[in-house]
Amino acid sequence: MTCFIAMSLRWLLRSPEILEQAAKNATEEEYFQRILKEQDMSKFGGESESYRWTQTNAEIEVSVPLQPYIRAKDVHCSILPNQILLSVASKPILQGPLLRKVCPDECDWSIEGRGASRSLKLMLLKAEPTQGSQHWTNVIKIPE
């Protein structure tokens, strides 16, 4: 019986440490869950005068608003691993060196929507997937 009381006493004296450690572990887990759940995906994209872009770990999606009269034959798109040229009705939309490499054979574009809500969707497959702080900061390299 004395042994049981001594073990119980030892457990009770250590329990604040155990409880504190358990609370700390729960807090760290909650912290990381909060970060992951509250990740603002808008910071992984951007917009310019003529297009908006977003990204996932593997792809870049560029969205270009189109006038109702624009047809597929008015779109010119040339994609190389490090270079892009996208023009609509002879107006350059994206032109220049890409920030990083893409897989040109896996890239595609399409026209979606009707009337005033028509847009061109360009999907670029990243040569190397990215995450978080490694995501692209722009589609085109900006000269320094």
Side-chain angles (χ1 to χ4, degrees):
M1 180 78 161
T2 309
C3 184
F4 175 74
I5 294 173
M7 286 175 55
S8 296
L9 230 135
R10 192 175 338 151
W11 183 81
L12 285 172
L13 292 175
R14 290 182 61 195
S15 66
E17 294 171 0
I18 293 170
L19 291 174
E20 185 179 308
Q21 184 64 32
K24 182 179 178 188
N25 289 345
T27 305
E28 288 174 0
E29 180 64 26
E30 290 169 2
Y31 172 76
F32 288 112
Q33 287 302 321
R34 221 176 310 120
I35 288 174
L36 293 175
K37 287 180 183 175
E38 296 175 5
Q39 201 167 36
D40 182 12
M41 292 307 287
S42 67
K43 70 180 180 181
F44 298 131
E47 60 183 276
S48 75
E49 294 176 13
S50 53
Y51 67 91
R52 295 182 96 138
W53 69 278
T54 59
Q55 66 184 303
T56 64
N57 293 349
E59 295 178 332
I60 301 283
E61 179 183 302
V62 178
S63 179
V64 181
L66 295 178
Q67 298 295 327
Y69 60 86
I70 298 292
R71 297 178 177 260
K73 67 180 183 180
D74 299 321
V75 176
H76 174 75
C77 184
S78 174
I79 302 169
L80 299 172
N82 294 317
Q83 193 84 12
I84 189 166
L85 169 60
L86 173 65
S87 63
V88 176
S90 300
K91 178 186 172 196
I93 304 296
L94 274 171
Q95 184 176 9
L98 290 164
L99 187 68
R100 298 194 188 128
K101 287 186 177 183
V102 297
C103 301
D105 293 339
E106 302 298 323
C107 298
D108 195 16
W109 63 269
S110 63
I111 294 178
E112 300 178 358
R114 293 177 183 241
S117 64
R118 292 184 68 209
S119 64
L120 181 145
K121 300 286 186 194
L122 171 65
M123 297 299 292
L124 302 172
L125 183 68
K126 297 175 181 178
E128 294 182 28
T130 60
Q131 288 185 336
S133 64
Q134 296 176 344
H135 274 324
W136 292 28
T137 55
N138 207 338
V139 180
I140 302 291
K141 281 184 184 176
I142 298 174
E144 294 179 14

